[in-house]
Amino acid sequence: MNEVAQRIEEHVPSLQRYALALCRNAAAADDLVQECVVRGLTKAHLYQSGTNLRAWLFTIMHNLHVSDLRRNGKWKQPADPDAALDNLSVSASQPATVMLRAVSRAMMALPDLQRVILYCVGVEGKSYEEVSREFGIPVGTVKSRCFRAREAVQKRLSEPGMSETRLSLVG
């Protein structure tokens, strides 16, 4: 069991990125990662040696997130202290910052699975096959959802007022 604990620790950074993509809130993402790690450690005896530990942890995290959504209701959002600070701060005028914020907003508007797949492929640089194995869905579904996510982000970036932030998201 000590070996599984060490292997779980190796996956914490990717769990944090996935939790942030799911929660859209840094504090809630940290809580989700902590809950996932605790669940992974307490249920380590159920892990089958030789299988994909990362996929097992991601499944635990996904199930915890879905359970939390069901428990709290879809419409309730936990308080986000970072959002309050953002409202108090002055927006940066640098083009790169404005562009990054626009892309971030466009990605946050995507459905959860599309956002996570686009993040894995576009940001983490994973192949469609890696994402397919990680989430246990067909490669064609990964490609389709990634394509739809890219189209939705491009459409949102081409809306009025976003012309200066237009990006090419072809990948």
Side-chain angles (χ1 to χ4, degrees):
M1 185 140 134
N2 207 6
E3 176 192 341
V4 174
Q6 288 176 337
R7 291 186 55 211
I8 287 174
E9 187 177 350
E10 296 169 9
H11 295 288
V12 168
S14 59
L15 287 171
Q16 288 173 324
R17 289 189 300 269
Y18 182 51
L20 191 55
L22 285 175
C23 296
R24 304 179 194 183
N25 175 323
D30 288 343
D31 292 343
L32 184 59
V33 170
Q34 182 176 354
E35 195 173 343
C36 177
V37 170
V38 168
R39 180 76 51 95
L41 291 172
T42 59
K43 302 290 183 179
H45 64 283
L46 298 175
Y47 171 70
Q48 296 175 0
S49 184
T51 60
N52 188 342
L53 179 62
R54 181 180 173 158
W56 185 69
L57 291 169
F58 272 53
T59 301
I60 290 172
M61 179 173 287
H62 178 76
N63 291 340
L64 287 169
H65 178 67
V66 169
S67 295
D68 191 45
L69 285 177
R70 286 182 183 147
R71 183 174 38 257
N72 295 326
K74 290 181 182 178
W75 301 276
K76 292 181 182 177
Q77 283 284 46
D80 185 5
D82 294 332
L85 289 175
D86 287 343
N87 290 334
L88 296 174
S89 65
V90 176
S91 298
S93 61
Q94 293 84 3
T97 302
V98 172
M99 187 184 324
L100 185 59
R101 185 170 289 147
V103 171
S104 177
R105 285 184 185 143
M107 284 189 67
M108 289 304 182
L110 295 172
D112 287 344
L113 192 55
Q114 281 186 7
R115 183 179 59 257
V116 171
I117 287 174
L118 183 58
Y119 181 84
C120 288
V121 172
V123 177
E124 289 188 348
K126 294 181 182 174
S127 70
Y128 294 126
E129 292 77 16
E130 288 175 309
V131 175
S132 170
R133 282 191 304 272
E134 189 169 303
F135 293 102
I137 55 178
V139 175
T141 303
V142 171
K143 289 180 180 181
S144 172
R145 292 199 176 148
C146 190
F147 175 78
R148 278 191 236 128
R150 285 182 177 136
E151 274 194 333
V153 169
Q154 285 178 334
K155 181 179 178 186
R156 179 144 176 143
L157 291 175
S158 65
E159 291 175 354
M162 299 288 232
S163 60
E164 67 277 358
T165 59
R166 174 120 182 156
L167 287 178
S168 174
L169 296 175
V170 178

